[in-house]
Amino acid sequence: MLRRGAAQPPGFEEFVAARGPRLLRVAWLLTGDAQLAEDLLQTVLAKVWPKWEHIAEGSPEAYVRTAMVHTHISWWRRRWWGEVPHAELPDTAGSADPFGQVDLEQSLADAIRSLPPRQRAVVVLRYFEDLSVQDTAATLGCATGTVKSQAAKALRTLRGLLPAAELVEGGESGGREQR
């Protein structure tokens, strides 16, 4: 726990201000929930704060991102969800919904959220954070072949979950998919 009046490590506040929104996006993609994403990011930042001087010497964003993936996986393994989801949403959109892009993004987020944690982490790091296979493997602490196989399984699952029109509308992966 941080004490009042405790001195900020040099550069920590600037790092959080500069990279916080991107790290929050990664956290949201991992958790699929805005509040859980904020909790995940806050938990990880609280963990790295005391060690910041050592972390800042290397690649702090990669370190924090790796810590988020590991923390999220440990949360998932504990299977404590804190809240009970409901079968129905309180408000539903009408059939003439002018927010088609929002629906597409929500469908994609739901599909990603349905993936197992390891596949979800690979998809987020490879296709949303645009990391290479090698960087993704290093972040997850696994072999590059594992990243490729997990990505292939995840993409196959996502193709089955999302209608073909949504995949075409979203565009190609730019050759990022390993075959």
Side-chain angles (χ1 to χ4, degrees), residues 123-138:
V123 167
V124 168
L125 294 174
R126 286 280 291 133
Y127 301 105
F128 288 92
E129 282 298 296
D130 203 30
L131 294 183
S132 68
V133 172
Q134 293 78 13
D135 291 341
T136 302

Side-chain angles (χ1 to χ4, degrees), residues 30 69-70 72-73 76-77 115-125 136-137 139-143 146-147 150-151 154:
L30 288 170
V69 169
H70 289 265
H72 176 258
I73 289 173
W76 181 84
R77 284 183 181 148
L115 294 172
R118 189 69 143 190
Q119 289 179 17
R120 185 181 323 156
V122 168
V123 167
V124 168
L125 294 174
T136 302
T139 299
L140 295 175
C142 64
T146 302
V147 171
Q150 292 293 304

Side-chain angles (χ1 to χ4, degrees), residues 22-119:
R22 183 175 179 130
L23 291 170
L24 183 59
R25 182 182 75 161
V26 171
W28 182 81
L29 288 167
L30 288 170
T31 63
D33 180 85
Q35 286 77 29
L36 282 176
E38 290 173 356
D39 289 347
L40 177 61
L41 181 57
Q42 183 175 359
T43 299
V44 169
L45 290 175
K47 285 180 183 179
V48 302
W49 183 81
K51 308 175 221 169
W52 184 253
E53 291 178 7
H54 300 290
I55 294 168
E57 293 172 3
S59 179
E61 185 173 358
Y63 187 94
V64 171
R65 191 182 316 117
T66 301
M68 283 195 315
V69 169
H70 289 265
T71 302
H72 176 258
I73 289 173
S74 75
W75 285 1
W76 181 84
R77 284 183 181 148
R78 276 190 241 141
R79 295 189 193 268
W80 178 82
W81 298 104
E83 297 178 8
V84 178
H86 296 280
E88 296 180 28
L89 295 174
D91 296 324
T92 58
S95 61
D97 185 11
F99 303 104
Q101 184 65 29
V102 174
D103 289 341
L104 172 62
E105 290 173 5
Q106 187 61 47
S107 296
L108 181 59
D110 291 342
I112 290 172
R113 196 173 23 255
S114 73
L115 294 172
R118 189 69 143 190
Q119 289 179 17

